[in-house]
Amino acid sequence: MWNATSGEQVTDNQFQDNTTDKLSYSVKPTFTHKIGRYYYIEPLVHLGKSVETLDRVRGDLMTDNQIISSLSPKFEKKYQWARPGFNLKRNTDKTQFNISLQTEFGQLTTKLWDETVNESNFWYFTPRLSYEYEYKTGRRLSFFYNSLVNTPTSD
């Protein structure tokens, strides 16, 4: 660091200790039901939750490891979701087609120093589509589309 007034270089000895935790869990029961010669349907319900925490401690080594509270946040992010939907599949010897229509209902809560900073509810449409064609033994042509929801991280 450089002091603009005196022009001298100042040495600053600081420490930083980051403790991060992440816990995620979900459940996704499905069952497949035949609805025609080549057609199948799968009702879906995917439920889950993730919790991330960042506990940062920053301080000055020159003053007996004194902690600088304004630079030492404790941050927490919780995201809960429910993803209902269904898959429609068509499978033959040469082709596989899958379309998935899903929605995501989510609740994002962020806390800073144990106080709630933001709580938001979301709704997203998250479709998926895949197609595979075996045009020759061992040779396939595939197409895949996927949509998903990303939430901010604590890092």
Side-chain angles (χ1 to χ4, degrees), residues 54-82:
L54 168 65
D55 192 2
R56 175 175 291 154
V57 177
R58 194 164 178 184
D60 189 355
L61 290 172
M62 303 296 284
T63 58
D64 296 327
N65 296 338
Q66 184 175 356
I67 295 173
I68 303 169
S69 63
S70 63
L71 300 176
S72 302
K74 182 178 180 186
F75 179 77
E76 180 180 82
K77 180 197 86 161
K78 290 182 184 176
Y79 187 61
Q80 301 178 98
W81 71 87

mmCIF file of all heavy atoms in Angstrom, residues 54-82:
data_model
loop_
_atom_site.group_PDB
_atom_site.id
_atom_site.type_symbol
_atom_site.label_atom_id
_atom_site.label_comp_id
_atom_site.label_asym_id
_atom_site.label_seq_id
_atom_site.Cartn_x
_atom_site.Cartn_y
_atom_site.Cartn_z
ATOM 1 N N LEU A 54 -21.251 -18.822 4.074
ATOM 2 C CA LEU A 54 -19.894 -18.291 4.026
ATOM 3 C C LEU A 54 -19.682 -17.509 5.311
ATOM 4 O O LEU A 54 -20.400 -16.547 5.583
ATOM 5 C CB LEU A 54 -19.699 -17.384 2.816
ATOM 6 C CG LEU A 54 -18.412 -16.543 2.806
ATOM 7 C CD1 LEU A 54 -17.180 -17.440 2.723
ATOM 8 C CD2 LEU A 54 -18.431 -15.546 1.661
ATOM 9 N N ASP A 55 -18.727 -17.937 6.108
ATOM 10 C CA ASP A 55 -18.375 -17.241 7.344
ATOM 11 C C ASP A 55 -16.936 -16.754 7.173
ATOM 12 O O ASP A 55 -15.993 -17.534 7.262
ATOM 13 C CB ASP A 55 -18.506 -18.179 8.543
ATOM 14 C CG ASP A 55 -18.435 -17.442 9.865
ATOM 15 O OD1 ASP A 55 -18.323 -16.199 9.861
ATOM 16 O OD2 ASP A 55 -18.487 -18.119 10.907
ATOM 17 N N ARG A 56 -16.789 -15.478 6.885
ATOM 18 C CA ARG A 56 -15.474 -14.896 6.623
ATOM 19 C C ARG A 56 -15.019 -14.106 7.845
ATOM 20 O O ARG A 56 -15.756 -13.293 8.379
ATOM 21 C CB ARG A 56 -15.529 -13.983 5.412
ATOM 22 C CG ARG A 56 -14.216 -13.243 5.145
ATOM 23 C CD ARG A 56 -14.269 -12.441 3.875
ATOM 24 N NE ARG A 56 -14.307 -13.375 2.768
ATOM 25 C CZ ARG A 56 -14.844 -13.097 1.584
ATOM 26 N NH1 ARG A 56 -15.393 -11.925 1.353
ATOM 27 N NH2 ARG A 56 -14.831 -13.992 0.627
ATOM 28 N N VAL A 57 -13.796 -14.367 8.268
ATOM 29 C CA VAL A 57 -13.184 -13.622 9.369
ATOM 30 C C VAL A 57 -11.925 -12.973 8.803
ATOM 31 O O VAL A 57 -11.052 -13.648 8.263
ATOM 32 C CB VAL A 57 -12.824 -14.548 10.556
ATOM 33 C CG1 VAL A 57 -12.132 -13.763 11.647
ATOM 34 C CG2 VAL A 57 -14.063 -15.230 11.088
ATOM 35 N N ARG A 58 -11.862 -11.657 8.932
ATOM 36 C CA ARG A 58 -10.713 -10.914 8.419
ATOM 37 C C ARG A 58 -10.211 -9.998 9.523
ATOM 38 O O ARG A 58 -11.001 -9.397 10.251
ATOM 39 C CB ARG A 58 -11.128 -10.105 7.206
ATOM 40 C CG ARG A 58 -9.980 -9.575 6.430
ATOM 41 C CD ARG A 58 -10.440 -9.132 5.069
ATOM 42 N NE ARG A 58 -9.311 -8.581 4.352
ATOM 43 C CZ ARG A 58 -9.388 -8.038 3.172
ATOM 44 N NH1 ARG A 58 -10.548 -7.980 2.557
ATOM 45 N NH2 ARG A 58 -8.339 -7.556 2.581
ATOM 46 N N GLY A 59 -8.900 -9.920 9.664
ATOM 47 C CA GLY A 59 -8.364 -9.123 10.750
ATOM 48 C C GLY A 59 -6.971 -8.604 10.474
ATOM 49 O O GLY A 59 -6.387 -8.823 9.415
ATOM 50 N N ASP A 60 -6.431 -7.934 11.478
ATOM 51 C CA ASP A 60 -5.130 -7.279 11.393
ATOM 52 C C ASP A 60 -4.133 -8.042 12.252
ATOM 53 O O ASP A 60 -4.330 -8.196 13.461
ATOM 54 C CB ASP A 60 -5.272 -5.832 11.873
ATOM 55 C CG ASP A 60 -4.037 -4.994 11.621
ATOM 56 O OD1 ASP A 60 -3.010 -5.549 11.161
ATOM 57 O OD2 ASP A 60 -4.106 -3.782 11.865
ATOM 58 N N LEU A 61 -3.052 -8.511 11.644
ATOM 59 C CA LEU A 61 -2.026 -9.247 12.375
ATOM 60 C C LEU A 61 -1.173 -8.337 13.254
ATOM 61 O O LEU A 61 -0.537 -8.800 14.201
ATOM 62 C CB LEU A 61 -1.115 -10.005 11.400
ATOM 63 C CG LEU A 61 -1.751 -11.181 10.676
ATOM 64 C CD1 LEU A 61 -0.822 -11.716 9.596
ATOM 65 C CD2 LEU A 61 -2.098 -12.284 11.650
ATOM 66 N N MET A 62 -1.140 -7.056 12.940
ATOM 67 C CA MET A 62 -0.306 -6.108 13.702
ATOM 68 C C MET A 62 -0.912 -5.770 15.066
ATOM 69 O O MET A 62 -0.205 -5.267 15.931
ATOM 70 C CB MET A 62 -0.096 -4.820 12.886
ATOM 71 C CG MET A 62 0.531 -5.056 11.516
ATOM 72 S SD MET A 62 2.193 -5.713 11.598
ATOM 73 C CE MET A 62 3.078 -4.239 12.052
ATOM 74 N N THR A 63 -2.219 -6.017 15.239
ATOM 75 C CA THR A 63 -2.878 -5.668 16.506
ATOM 76 C C THR A 63 -3.437 -6.919 17.170
ATOM 77 O O THR A 63 -4.616 -6.989 17.490
ATOM 78 C CB THR A 63 -4.004 -4.648 16.265
ATOM 79 O OG1 THR A 63 -4.926 -5.215 15.338
ATOM 80 C CG2 THR A 63 -3.474 -3.341 15.745
ATOM 81 N N ASP A 64 -2.589 -7.919 17.378
ATOM 82 C CA ASP A 64 -2.962 -9.163 18.065
ATOM 83 C C ASP A 64 -4.182 -9.844 17.438
ATOM 84 O O ASP A 64 -5.119 -10.218 18.140
ATOM 85 C CB ASP A 64 -3.221 -8.911 19.559
ATOM 86 C CG ASP A 64 -1.971 -8.444 20.279
ATOM 87 O OD1 ASP A 64 -0.868 -8.880 19.882
ATOM 88 O OD2 ASP A 64 -2.108 -7.645 21.217
ATOM 89 N N ASN A 65 -4.181 -9.968 16.114
ATOM 90 C CA ASN A 65 -5.241 -10.658 15.374
ATOM 91 C C ASN A 65 -6.633 -10.069 15.623
ATOM 92 O O ASN A 65 -7.617 -10.787 15.690
ATOM 93 C CB ASN A 65 -5.248 -12.148 15.681
ATOM 94 C CG ASN A 65 -3.990 -12.835 15.233
ATOM 95 O OD1 ASN A 65 -3.281 -12.345 14.354
ATOM 96 N ND2 ASN A 65 -3.686 -13.969 15.829
ATOM 97 N N GLN A 66 -6.711 -8.770 15.777
ATOM 98 C CA GLN A 66 -7.996 -8.116 15.996
ATOM 99 C C GLN A 66 -8.853 -8.245 14.735
ATOM 100 O O GLN A 66 -8.410 -7.957 13.629
ATOM 101 C CB GLN A 66 -7.799 -6.643 16.341
ATOM 102 C CG GLN A 66 -9.098 -5.941 16.670
ATOM 103 C CD GLN A 66 -8.866 -4.514 17.132
ATOM 104 O OE1 GLN A 66 -7.736 -4.072 17.283
ATOM 105 N NE2 GLN A 66 -9.945 -3.802 17.361
ATOM 106 N N ILE A 67 -10.085 -8.669 14.915
ATOM 107 C CA ILE A 67 -11.002 -8.899 13.804
ATOM 108 C C ILE A 67 -11.602 -7.574 13.348
ATOM 109 O O ILE A 67 -12.020 -6.754 14.167
ATOM 110 C CB ILE A 67 -12.108 -9.886 14.212
ATOM 111 C CG1 ILE A 67 -11.490 -11.263 14.497
ATOM 112 C CG2 ILE A 67 -13.169 -9.989 13.139
ATOM 113 C CD1 ILE A 67 -12.448 -12.267 15.051
ATOM 114 N N ILE A 68 -11.645 -7.372 12.031
ATOM 115 C CA ILE A 68 -12.271 -6.189 11.434
ATOM 116 C C ILE A 68 -13.708 -6.587 11.089
ATOM 117 O O ILE A 68 -13.950 -7.309 10.122
ATOM 118 C CB ILE A 68 -11.506 -5.735 10.179
ATOM 119 C CG1 ILE A 68 -10.043 -5.455 10.529
ATOM 120 C CG2 ILE A 68 -12.165 -4.500 9.570
ATOM 121 C CD1 ILE A 68 -9.145 -5.262 9.324
ATOM 122 N N SER A 69 -14.656 -6.153 11.881
ATOM 123 C CA SER A 69 -16.037 -6.638 11.748
ATOM 124 C C SER A 69 -16.676 -6.250 10.424
ATOM 125 O O SER A 69 -17.476 -7.012 9.870
ATOM 126 C CB SER A 69 -16.891 -6.151 12.918
ATOM 127 O OG SER A 69 -16.966 -4.745 12.916
ATOM 128 N N SER A 70 -16.360 -5.084 9.879
ATOM 129 C CA SER A 70 -16.982 -4.661 8.632
ATOM 130 C C SER A 70 -16.500 -5.486 7.435
ATOM 131 O O SER A 70 -17.136 -5.498 6.388
ATOM 132 C CB SER A 70 -16.707 -3.172 8.370
ATOM 133 O OG SER A 70 -15.315 -2.968 8.220
ATOM 134 N N LEU A 71 -15.378 -6.199 7.575
ATOM 135 C CA LEU A 71 -14.842 -7.046 6.515
ATOM 136 C C LEU A 71 -15.027 -8.523 6.823
ATOM 137 O O LEU A 71 -14.426 -9.374 6.179
ATOM 138 C CB LEU A 71 -13.342 -6.749 6.301
ATOM 139 C CG LEU A 71 -12.992 -5.323 5.901
ATOM 140 C CD1 LEU A 71 -11.489 -5.163 5.822
ATOM 141 C CD2 LEU A 71 -13.647 -4.963 4.577
ATOM 142 N N SER A 72 -15.855 -8.845 7.818
ATOM 143 C CA SER A 72 -16.052 -10.230 8.251
ATOM 144 C C SER A 72 -17.525 -10.620 8.215
ATOM 145 O O SER A 72 -18.162 -10.802 9.254
ATOM 146 C CB SER A 72 -15.499 -10.412 9.671
ATOM 147 O OG SER A 72 -14.137 -10.065 9.725
ATOM 148 N N PRO A 73 -18.092 -10.773 7.026
ATOM 149 C CA PRO A 73 -19.520 -11.088 6.938
ATOM 150 C C PRO A 73 -19.812 -12.569 7.174
ATOM 151 O O PRO A 73 -18.968 -13.431 6.974
ATOM 152 C CB PRO A 73 -19.873 -10.719 5.500
ATOM 153 C CG PRO A 73 -18.615 -10.997 4.749
ATOM 154 C CD PRO A 73 -17.499 -10.618 5.695
ATOM 155 N N LYS A 74 -21.005 -12.822 7.612
ATOM 156 C CA LYS A 74 -21.554 -14.172 7.648
ATOM 157 C C LYS A 74 -22.740 -14.147 6.689
ATOM 158 O O LYS A 74 -23.722 -13.442 6.909
ATOM 159 C CB LYS A 74 -22.005 -14.557 9.047
ATOM 160 C CG LYS A 74 -22.539 -15.964 9.106
ATOM 161 C CD LYS A 74 -22.949 -16.361 10.505
ATOM 162 C CE LYS A 74 -23.480 -17.781 10.501
ATOM 163 N NZ LYS A 74 -24.020 -18.138 11.805
ATOM 164 N N PHE A 75 -22.631 -14.909 5.598
ATOM 165 C CA PHE A 75 -23.623 -14.890 4.540
ATOM 166 C C PHE A 75 -24.261 -16.265 4.428
ATOM 167 O O PHE A 75 -23.573 -17.281 4.530
ATOM 168 C CB PHE A 75 -22.952 -14.515 3.212
ATOM 169 C CG PHE A 75 -23.888 -14.490 2.044
ATOM 170 C CD1 PHE A 75 -24.754 -13.425 1.849
ATOM 171 C CD2 PHE A 75 -23.911 -15.528 1.124
ATOM 172 C CE1 PHE A 75 -25.615 -13.395 0.770
ATOM 173 C CE2 PHE A 75 -24.771 -15.511 0.054
ATOM 174 C CZ PHE A 75 -25.632 -14.438 -0.130
ATOM 175 N N GLU A 76 -25.584 -16.298 4.219
ATOM 176 C CA GLU A 76 -26.292 -17.566 4.058
ATOM 177 C C GLU A 76 -27.282 -17.447 2.904
ATOM 178 O O GLU A 76 -27.962 -16.443 2.767
ATOM 179 C CB GLU A 76 -27.041 -17.919 5.346
ATOM 180 C CG GLU A 76 -27.809 -19.216 5.255
ATOM 181 C CD GLU A 76 -28.534 -19.515 6.543
ATOM 182 O OE1 GLU A 76 -29.635 -18.945 6.733
ATOM 183 O OE2 GLU A 76 -28.014 -20.288 7.346
ATOM 184 N N LYS A 77 -27.329 -18.494 2.078
ATOM 185 C CA LYS A 77 -28.280 -18.552 0.963
ATOM 186 C C LYS A 77 -29.039 -19.869 1.051
ATOM 187 O O LYS A 77 -28.442 -20.930 1.146
ATOM 188 C CB LYS A 77 -27.554 -18.485 -0.376
ATOM 189 C CG LYS A 77 -28.519 -18.555 -1.562
ATOM 190 C CD LYS A 77 -27.823 -18.894 -2.851
ATOM 191 C CE LYS A 77 -27.720 -20.376 -2.947
ATOM 192 N NZ LYS A 77 -27.471 -20.925 -4.262
ATOM 193 N N LYS A 78 -30.371 -19.777 1.026
ATOM 194 C CA LYS A 78 -31.228 -20.970 1.005
ATOM 195 C C LYS A 78 -32.078 -20.923 -0.254
ATOM 196 O O LYS A 78 -32.634 -19.877 -0.595
ATOM 197 C CB LYS A 78 -32.167 -21.008 2.210
ATOM 198 C CG LYS A 78 -31.499 -21.267 3.518
ATOM 199 C CD LYS A 78 -32.532 -21.343 4.627
ATOM 200 C CE LYS A 78 -31.860 -21.513 5.966
ATOM 201 N NZ LYS A 78 -32.829 -21.504 7.069
ATOM 202 N N TYR A 79 -32.175 -22.065 -0.925
ATOM 203 C CA TYR A 79 -33.037 -22.167 -2.104
ATOM 204 C C TYR A 79 -33.844 -23.449 -1.989
ATOM 205 O O TYR A 79 -33.279 -24.534 -1.876
ATOM 206 C CB TYR A 79 -32.221 -22.160 -3.397
ATOM 207 C CG TYR A 79 -33.078 -22.093 -4.638
ATOM 208 C CD1 TYR A 79 -33.919 -21.009 -4.879
ATOM 209 C CD2 TYR A 79 -33.072 -23.104 -5.576
ATOM 210 C CE1 TYR A 79 -34.720 -20.942 -6.004
ATOM 211 C CE2 TYR A 79 -33.862 -23.051 -6.717
ATOM 212 C CZ TYR A 79 -34.680 -21.966 -6.916
ATOM 213 O OH TYR A 79 -35.478 -21.901 -8.033
ATOM 214 N N GLN A 80 -35.163 -23.312 -1.992
ATOM 215 C CA GLN A 80 -36.075 -24.458 -1.954
ATOM 216 C C GLN A 80 -36.844 -24.477 -3.265
ATOM 217 O O GLN A 80 -37.215 -23.419 -3.767
ATOM 218 C CB GLN A 80 -37.068 -24.315 -0.806
ATOM 219 C CG GLN A 80 -36.416 -24.219 0.551
ATOM 220 C CD GLN A 80 -37.461 -24.021 1.634
ATOM 221 O OE1 GLN A 80 -37.850 -24.972 2.272
ATOM 222 N NE2 GLN A 80 -37.913 -22.798 1.819
ATOM 223 N N TRP A 81 -37.080 -25.679 -3.800
ATOM 224 C CA TRP A 81 -37.773 -25.752 -5.067
ATOM 225 C C TRP A 81 -38.686 -26.964 -5.143
ATOM 226 O O TRP A 81 -38.509 -27.954 -4.453
ATOM 227 C CB TRP A 81 -36.789 -25.784 -6.234
ATOM 228 C CG TRP A 81 -36.032 -27.064 -6.363
ATOM 229 C CD1 TRP A 81 -36.418 -28.194 -7.042
ATOM 230 C CD2 TRP A 81 -34.777 -27.382 -5.795
ATOM 231 N NE1 TRP A 81 -35.472 -29.168 -6.929
ATOM 232 C CE2 TRP A 81 -34.441 -28.697 -6.155
ATOM 233 C CE3 TRP A 81 -33.878 -26.684 -4.993
ATOM 234 C CZ2 TRP A 81 -33.273 -29.324 -5.767
ATOM 235 C CZ3 TRP A 81 -32.708 -27.307 -4.613
ATOM 236 C CH2 TRP A 81 -32.421 -28.604 -5.003
ATOM 237 N N ALA A 82 -39.674 -26.819 -6.026
ATOM 238 C CA ALA A 82 -40.560 -27.910 -6.431
ATOM 239 C C ALA A 82 -40.625 -27.849 -7.946
ATOM 240 O O ALA A 82 -40.845 -26.770 -8.519
ATOM 241 C CB ALA A 82 -41.948 -27.742 -5.821
#
